[in-house]
Amino acid sequence: MAEERFIARGFHPRSANRTASLRLPPGQYETNDFPVLSAGPTPRTSHSTWDFTIRDLDGHSARWSWDEFEALPRSTPTVDIHCVTKWSKFGTRWEGVSLDTLLEAAAAKGVGSAPFVLASSDGGYTTNLPLEDLTGGKAWVVFGYDGAPLPPEHGGPARLLVPHLYFWKSAKWIRGLQFQRSDSPGFWEQLGYHNRGDPWREQRYRGDP
Amino acid sequence: MQTEDMRLDGNAAGGILREVFAQEMTTALVTCAGCETNAVVGALLEYGHGMGIVLRCPTCSTPVLRIVSATGLLRLDVRGIQLLTISKTG
């Protein structure tokens, strides 16, 4: 009986730890906070001046105003996020528009495709991504977090969300995507951060496998 | 927390810059490539939160100097500096 109680008491924490460790990429720790990291001042862009543009290599573009963007079909992903500074946060809840939806709509407006994309934000931040990391239900432009409008310090009015890559790829204050022929490094990638940034392969810095 | 709450001035980067230039750098004069305004390094706005250090022009917010130290390498992106003037007397 005593042994049974001991096993029962020990089982739950071990189980929880095992679940957490399966969700935690190498070198990461779990946090319940939502740390704010930023390379510059927080832009405060109003909905009336905000727009989102996807541009191709030939100068064709598709543009959405805030109202048009909000009218697009919405998704509500719940995902784990992983910052290269080693914190991970489980089960974050977002609301926004899938990149599949945006890219299909852009293609319908005559915007051509290319193998890479440079995301750009208010404040001058950029980050580069392979197109295949943005398609197939893996990436969104989100404007809601945890049931409320996305706060400016977390990238509002809208940010990119690419949770299967380190979180610096999920550009805050996003305003557009530019198709690229080659993988041209963004703000942190120019300084030696990895061009892809897969947390499960610990691709933190240039030269990591 | 707002990012402005965590902003430091360029004096906070003084240690790493002294390491690179082998002399006191917080009094060196930076001419911003964005707006051509002059500011001493100590008056630049520093955003340094884990991934690296970003020193911005206090007038136009251009990132004048970006520093990442990782995997045994120190990388400095200086394209935001039009001219760096360092006193030889330190």
Side-chain angles (χ1 to χ4, degrees), chain A residues 138-181:
Chain A
K138 299 193 293 284
W140 300 265
V141 172
V142 291
F143 44 72
Y145 174 70
D146 217 10
L150 182 63
E153 66 269 27
H154 287 306
R159 76 179 296 162
L160 192 58
L161 176 65
V162 193
H164 69 286
L165 301 179
Y166 282 123
F167 212 43
W168 90 77
K169 294 288 184 180
S170 295
K172 293 178 183 180
W173 314 304
I174 192 160
R175 292 295 296 275
L177 302 175
Q178 168 72 56
F179 278 111
Q180 306 264 312
R181 210 168 271 117

Side-chain angles (χ1 to χ4, degrees), chain A residues 88-104:
Chain A
S88 292
K89 186 172 175 62
F90 296 155
T92 57
R93 300 188 305 125
W94 306 85
E95 182 172 20
V97 179
S98 161
L99 255 295
D100 294 309
T101 300
L102 291 168
L103 292 168
E104 278 170 28

Side-chain angles (χ1 to χ4, degrees), chain A residues 62-113:
Chain A
R63 176 189 172 273
W64 293 267
S65 68
W66 180 263
D67 289 342
E68 290 165 340
F69 198 86
E70 276 207 317
L72 293 168
R74 297 184 184 192
S75 308
T76 52
T78 297
V79 295
D80 298 346
I81 55 176
H82 311 289
C83 178
V84 73
T85 62
K86 302 201 170 179
W87 58 264
S88 292
K89 186 172 175 62
F90 296 155
T92 57
R93 300 188 305 125
W94 306 85
E95 182 172 20
V97 179
S98 161
L99 255 295
D100 294 309
T101 300
L102 291 168
L103 292 168
E104 278 170 28
K109 291 180 181 184
V111 176
S113 190

Side-chain angles (χ1 to χ4, degrees), chain A residues 7 19 24 33 35 50-51 59 61 63 72 74 82 88 110 112 118 120 131 138 144 164 168 171 194 199 207 209:
Chain A
I7 290 167
T19 305
L24 208 54
D33 298 333
W50 187 91
D51 62 3
S61 62
R63 176 189 172 273
L72 293 168
R74 297 184 184 192
H82 311 289
S88 292
L118 189 71
S120 57
L131 178 61
K138 299 193 293 284
H164 69 286
W168 90 77
H194 201 278

Side-chain angles (χ1 to χ4, degrees), chain A residues 190-192 206, chain B residues 66-71 73-77:
Chain A
Q190 291 164 4
L191 282 151
R206 192 179 301 164
Chain B
R66 298 184 289 151
I67 307 167
V68 169
S69 176
T71 60
L73 297 171
L74 187 64
R75 290 185 171 97
L76 290 92
D77 185 312

